[in-house]
Amino acid sequence: MSGTNVQDAVRQKYGEIARSVGQSGCCRPTACGCSDPITSDLYSASETAVLPDNAVAASLGCGNPTALIELQPGQTVLDLGSGGGIDVLLSARRVGPTGRVYGLDMTDEMLALARENQRKAGVTNVEFLKGTIEAIPLPDRSVDVIISNCVINLSVDKDSVLREAFRVLKPGGRFAVSDVVIRGDVPSDVRRSLELWVGCIAGALEEKVYDAKLRAAGFVDVDLDPWRVYQIHDARAFLAESGIDVDKIAPQVDGKVASAFIRARKPEASACCSPTCCS
Ligand SMILES: C[S@@+](CC[C@H](N)C(=O)[O-])C[C@H]1O[C@@H](n2cnc3c(N)ncnc32)[C@H](O)[C@@H]1O
């Protein structure tokens, strides 16, 4: 599939999921069915209690990026691929009325759902923007913190995403995202099956490659923390349904896919190596 086709497939898939939110018949509209070990149990009861039901029901992440980083009142936050808006709404409470949170998404149905959730939550320091994470529609050095939840793995152009994230961050700004990563070598056919299981249409990055790409974009203090490592039993039903001999590939699969917290920082202006490197 070409890059454009992959992006169209992602948009179509998440448009369908957004339309299904709030309808009966499925416990959660996840990418991988009703009992998805990736998207389950990510938020505390005290967090979800203050959110509209459909913001919680539309949660499709693989972590809780708002728990990764301390947000300060007055900060500007950007959520890459904001979906139904759960992390935007949680962040809006933390930055308070003097702060601002942008949710960026390319799928019209997700934006409509997020705006409806914003209206129900009665939150005004939030704006949902239409656009792609490969070409962020915000000015240079305008954001204090970038969060994202299981979206960068969907991008066909991860270098552009990381370059754009670096561009819009203020010097000293922080990048705190949750994403799916591959750990070490996995045969390519097995890897593709695993990626389909976790919903990574464009492919997850191997953790060392992710680290290198962040540094190449200019980030420092890069830290990847695989906090939920998946075992063969997590993917067994999906792989078996795809006609794969699960027991045969088990040793190559166990522990090879993880949800990771990924943190990095844009250097302070004074720490720049050249007059242009922090632009
Ligand atoms: C797996 S869902 C995650 C949504 C949300 N972050 C959450 O935790 O529930 C992925 C979201 O990212 C959006 N998305 C995927 N690729 C994108 C891209 N290249 N640019 C903008 N949005 C994108 C999709 O439309 C979808 O809403």
Side-chain angles (χ1 to χ4, degrees):
M1 263 206 271
S2 72
T4 314
N5 289 346
V6 169
Q7 204 166 70
D8 286 345
V10 170
R11 198 180 279 115
Q12 190 180 339
K13 169 176 162 165
Y14 287 100
E16 280 163 16
I17 291 176
R19 281 194 295 274
S20 75
V21 169
Q23 292 175 5
S24 58
C26 183
C27 45
R28 294 162 62 81
T30 68
C32 310
C34 280
S35 56
D36 182 347
I38 299 173
T39 54
S40 56
D41 303 328
L42 300 177
Y43 298 90
S44 68
S46 61
E47 286 175 309
T48 54
V50 296
L51 295 172
D53 288 349
N54 280 352
V56 179
S59 165
L60 295 162
C62 51
N64 178 353
T66 66
L68 269 185
I69 195 149
E70 207 175 306
L71 298 177
Q72 307 295 336
Q75 283 187 321
T76 300
V77 176
L78 167 64
D79 183 10
L80 300 179
S82 43
I86 186 165
D87 297 318
V88 170
L89 298 179
L90 288 172
S91 301
R93 299 173 72 87
R94 303 216 175 130
V95 299
T98 58
R100 186 145 199 84
V101 186
Y102 294 103
L104 173 63
D105 208 288
M106 66 177 183
T107 306
D108 288 324
E109 294 89 338
M110 276 295 178
L111 287 164
L113 177 63
R115 289 177 182 137
E116 177 63 9
N117 287 332
Q118 176 188 358
R119 192 190 60 73
K120 286 184 185 152
V123 176
T124 54
N125 58 342
V126 156
E127 191 178 340
F128 288 100
L129 306 171
K130 182 169 179 181
T132 68
I133 61 175
E134 294 82 3
I136 299 174
L138 285 174
D140 296 357
R141 298 183 294 278
S142 55
V143 170
D144 295 292
V145 179
I146 287 184
I147 60 171
S148 182
N149 201 349
C150 239
V151 180
I152 297 174
N153 64 68
L154 298 169
S155 172
V156 281
D157 186 358
K158 293 164 175 77
D159 292 316
S160 290
V161 175
L162 300 180
R163 249 193 328 266
E164 280 290 273
F166 189 85
R167 178 185 67 76
V168 301
L169 276 175
K170 297 176 187 173
R174 288 164 311 157
F175 177 90
V177 316
S178 176
D179 212 350
V180 170
V181 296
I182 301 290
R183 312 192 74 202
D185 289 335
V186 184
S188 57
D189 52 333
V190 175
R191 182 184 168 127
R192 197 63 207 129
S193 304
L194 286 175
E195 287 173 344
L196 291 175
W197 170 59
V198 294
C200 301
I201 293 177
L205 289 177
E206 198 281 327
E207 52 189 342
K208 288 195 184 69
V209 175
Y210 212 135
D211 184 299
K213 284 185 183 293
L214 280 163
R215 289 176 200 279
F219 286 100
V220 295
D221 296 344
V222 176
D223 177 49
L224 274 88
D225 174 14
W227 67 281
R228 191 182 264 181
V229 180
Y230 301 103
Q231 305 300 328
I232 187 73
H233 59 80
D234 293 315
R236 180 174 284 278
F238 177 88
L239 294 175
E241 263 175 36
S242 315
I244 290 167
D245 181 345
V246 179
D247 292 316
K248 191 167 154 216
I249 65 161
Q252 298 161 315
V253 170
D254 260 340
K256 294 291 191 180
V257 179
S259 293
F261 289 142
I262 299 151
R263 298 178 183 87
R265 187 173 59 80
K266 179 167 176 170
E268 297 290 345
S270 58
C272 270
C273 47
S274 81
T276 54
C277 73
C278 281
S279 59

